Amino acid sequence: MDGTDSQEVFISNWEYDQAPESQDHIKIDKRYGLFIDGKFEEPKSKKYFQTTDPANGKVLAKVAEASETDVDRAVKAARKAFKKWSGLPAKERGKYIFRIARLIQERARELAVIESLDGGKPIRESRDIDIPLAANHFFYYAGWADKLEYAFPGRKVKPLGVAGQIIPWNFPLLMAAWKLAPALATGNTVVLKPAETTPLTALKLAEIIRDSDLPNGVVNIVTGAGETGASLVRHPDVDKIAFTGSTAVGKFIRKTIAGTSKKLTLELGGKGANIIFEDAALDQAVEGIVNAIFFNQGHVCCAGSRLFVQESVADLVISKLKIRLNSLFVGDPLDKNTDIGAINSKKQLETIRKYIEIGKSEGGQIYQPDCTLPKKGNWCPPTLFLGVSQSHRIVQEEIFGPVLTVQTFRTIDEVIEKANNSPYGLSAGVWTDKGSKIFHLTKKLKAGVVWANTYNKFDATSPFGGYKESGFGREGGLHGLKPYIKFE
Ligand code: NAP
Ligand code: MG
């Protein structure tokens, strides 16, 4: 455990311009403990689970499963550290957070490879988006630590205490950064629970945190399954729960903490509408549609999973879209030419396949390019569904995979009505040449984020979050500080 018993993974077929050759070997320990009070420890549960590579089913490591007792140890460590951490001069806190950002940058290549191995996403995405953006979140919130008086003028700001943070498997390190950085900047201490299928980069982050000399107990990382998360939610000495995941678990958490004084933020599911008007730059829009739905295999809460095309250009857009789909490469996540990697888990693959069957049985016309999928592992080709309407389940329910529904519209009012006819309210995209249409739609669409002539653009300075069944509270930017503070 903890570096003593490790295996080397040789990475081939991936170039990284500045990387020294020695870094072609990425070390993954055979067994990982829980990160509590600044060190890796055996779980009191004595239980371990396996995390695998979804591209081939190979076991990558055994990871500790935290029991209720283990979660309690982590919360106690966080509570003990709270007085020291919240009492530090704010600029000192900022320096620690800055150091974590720098260490993520230094280990960026290793983190990118491990993210792709453990979760199945294309290396191009983990290298260019997940890891740099994770570092940026720490840099950004390091800057806020000693400027809270400017963020909230005239108010005396205090941290909440111990934050319990639960994250999903689609952006493992990035979600950890989204949650940890603002909590630390505002003086809270944390117990973080990564997802069961993708714990490895959170454990590498634990090494980084240890190496950053952050005071012991300020960040604790407890791996495990849903029950570990539930123990954290139930724990009486946790002051705040920040959760990103499914709407169903979000509702369960809401019920569990009802009647307690715990604070809560929920980042849940989505069913983003991507709207193309006839005056849009169509080639650019088609690229945008492809990125909006196939980025990270469609395992994206804000994915543009419902396409609405203005009727006059629908045939043209659909034919361009099919041509583009035919050129997407589905395969090895570590190949830098891969566009669509492995589906994160067998369970998620079954869910996607179930929805594809539902789409067909409800009369949708399916289009999938003729691509050769690897024999082992979890794969799904990019999929379009034409001939669907608002009442189809694949239009209403979140699939969380590379499946795009395509509908047409004639007028702006019609498309606003259709786009808003969803239980979710997280994201939308608008493609048009007219600024006036963009401004009109950003007001009318019930979505936490609306992109114009682009999609899936993220930045540490921008708030992100939803309405309706997509949850409440915002992460990112100045807004991301608010869920972690109280005013005196
Ligand atoms: P999930 O099943 O809700 O899991 C999310 C996290 O909660 C995981 O760490 C999970 O542990 C844990 N968990 C499961 N049951 C729990 C319980 N009863 N109490 C406490 N924690 C529990 O969701 P997922 O399948 O990982 O992620 C996909 C969903 O997340 C999608 O619906 C997607 O839209 C949403 N999402 C939203 C955002 C956003 O920002 N709005 C971002 C990303 C994802 P295990 O992994 O061990 O089961
Ligand atoms: Mg895995």
Side-chain angles (χ1 to χ4, degrees):
M1 200 197 322
D2 189 16
T4 52
D5 185 15
S6 64
Q7 55 193 327
E8 291 202 348
V9 181
F10 179 67
I11 307 306
S12 61
N13 203 11
W14 183 47
E15 291 156 23
Y16 192 75
D17 298 342
Q18 280 96 36
E21 240 166 58
S22 60
Q23 283 191 17
D24 277 343
H25 295 268
I26 303 292
K27 282 198 173 67
I28 297 176
D29 294 353
K30 288 195 172 144
R31 209 152 61 100
Y32 284 91
L34 304 169
F35 185 67
I36 297 179
D37 210 11
K39 50 195 176 303
F40 285 93
E41 290 192 352
E42 293 280 350
K44 293 276 182 244
S45 71
K46 302 273 181 235
K47 286 189 191 157
Y48 286 81
F49 62 94
Q50 293 176 333
T51 186
T52 55
D53 177 346
N56 53 30
K58 279 188 195 151
V59 174
L60 292 169
K62 284 186 178 169
V63 179
E65 185 180 319
S67 64
E68 188 134 24
T69 312
D70 292 310
V71 170
D72 181 55
R73 287 160 62 214
V75 173
K76 285 202 169 93
R79 176 61 61 196
K80 198 175 78 190
F82 177 63
K83 199 165 172 210
K84 178 174 179 187
W85 180 244
S86 58
L88 277 185
K91 77 167 188 253
E92 291 302 314
R93 281 205 307 270
K95 280 189 204 162
Y96 283 111
I97 302 167
F98 188 82
R99 205 176 297 157
I100 294 170
R102 289 298 305 270
L103 289 170
I104 291 175
Q105 279 188 324
E106 277 171 27
R107 292 176 66 172
R109 174 186 158 77
E110 174 198 3
L111 290 166
V113 171
I114 292 175
E115 201 71 303
S116 286
L117 279 172
D118 203 14
K121 65 174 65 202
I123 189 70
R124 246 188 5 228
E125 294 178 9
S126 24
R127 186 192 61 188
D128 297 346
I129 298 169
D130 293 63
I131 310 304
L133 205 48
N136 280 349
H137 274 266
F138 282 103
F139 278 127
Y140 175 75
Y141 283 106
W144 270 124
D146 62 356
K147 297 173 196 70
L148 296 177
E149 70 212 75
Y150 301 106
F152 307 102
R155 312 290 300 268
K156 179 105 177 84
V157 173
K158 287 183 71 179
L160 297 176
V162 175
Q165 304 184 325
I166 301 172
I167 55 172
W169 40 262
N170 54 347
F171 294 93
L173 187 74
L174 184 56
M175 288 295 121
W178 276 29
K179 297 239 173 320
L180 284 170
L184 298 179
T186 44
N188 297 274
T189 57
V190 177
V191 179
L192 175 86
K193 207 289 281 178
E196 197 182 349
T197 58
T198 53
L200 292 183
T201 46
L203 291 161
K204 289 282 159 189
L205 182 63
E207 291 174 8
I208 285 173
I209 285 166
R210 183 194 55 194
D211 297 346
S212 76
D213 287 333
L214 190 80
N216 290 346
V218 173
V219 173
N220 306 274
I221 298 182
V222 289
T223 42
E227 190 42 45
T228 303
S231 301
L232 190 53
V233 171
R234 282 194 302 266
H235 198 291
D237 202 27
V238 169
D239 300 291
K240 188 214 157 58
I241 295 291
F243 173 80
T244 297
S246 60
T247 298
V249 175
K251 283 183 180 169
F252 169 81
I253 291 176
R254 218 170 164 175
K255 277 191 204 141
T256 307
I257 69 166
T260 73
S261 57
K262 284 191 178 82
K263 296 254 190 313
L264 178 65
T265 37
L266 296 175
E267 301 280 2
L268 309 175
K271 194 77 184 171
N274 213 356
I275 303 169
I276 301 195
F277 288 94
E278 60 190 2
D279 57 20
L282 294 184
D283 287 331
Q284 187 190 332
V286 166
E287 274 311 298
I289 299 165
V290 167
N291 167 271
I293 182 62
F294 302 123
F295 171 55
N296 198 21
Q297 296 74 248
H299 302 326
V300 184
C301 48
C302 54
S305 50
R306 291 180 297 154
L307 175 63
F308 296 97
V309 195
Q310 197 152 24
E311 205 173 78
S312 49
V313 291
D315 288 347
L316 184 58
V317 167
I318 291 164
S319 69
K320 282 176 185 282
L321 196 51
K322 285 180 177 171
I323 292 168
R324 188 66 183 87
L325 250 65
N326 294 346
S327 71
L328 292 176
F329 179 69
V330 185
D332 183 1
L334 292 179
D335 185 332
K336 67 185 165 79
N337 297 311
T338 291
D339 298 301
I340 299 183
I343 298 299
N344 181 270
S345 66
K346 287 220 171 335
K347 189 170 148 232
Q348 188 58 28
L349 183 60
E350 277 166 25
T351 303
I352 297 166
R353 285 184 174 156
K354 180 192 84 182
Y355 274 111
I356 289 176
E357 287 314 309
I358 290 171
K360 287 197 274 192
S361 70
E362 286 186 335
Q365 297 147 28
I366 189 170
Y367 177 82
Q368 289 176 324
D370 197 11
C371 48
T372 316
L373 300 176
K375 290 208 170 57
K376 282 187 185 165
N378 314 328
W379 309 97
C380 181
T383 304
L384 294 186
F385 266 104
L386 307 166
V388 290
S389 66
Q390 290 294 99
S391 61
H392 280 82
R393 280 184 66 190
I394 55 168
V395 172
Q396 289 296 329
E397 296 174 26
E398 186 184 47
I399 301 173
F400 221 55
V403 182
L404 177 67
T405 61
V406 184
Q407 294 173 262
T408 59
F409 69 93
R410 285 189 183 160
T411 67
I412 193 164
D413 289 341
E414 179 193 347
V415 78
I416 290 169
E417 201 274 323
K418 281 181 168 167
N420 286 338
N421 178 3
S422 162
Y424 297 107
L426 189 58
S427 57
V430 181
W431 300 82
T432 171
D433 199 28
K434 294 266 181 311
S436 56
K437 253 186 229 161
I438 293 170
F439 284 113
H440 183 63
L441 278 152
T442 48
K443 285 199 198 108
K444 294 285 176 186
L445 292 171
K446 290 186 194 127
V449 56
V450 181
W451 284 289
N453 294 325
T454 187
Y455 208 97
N456 278 337
K457 287 277 180 285
F458 306 99
D459 191 87
T461 61
S462 305
F464 184 88
Y467 297 104
K468 303 196 274 184
E469 301 251 310
S470 295
F472 51 82
R474 294 292 178 264
E475 291 184 313
L478 172 60
H479 293 70
L481 296 166
K482 285 187 189 160
Y484 290 99
I485 55 162
K486 56 188 173 191
F487 296 115
E488 238 177 27

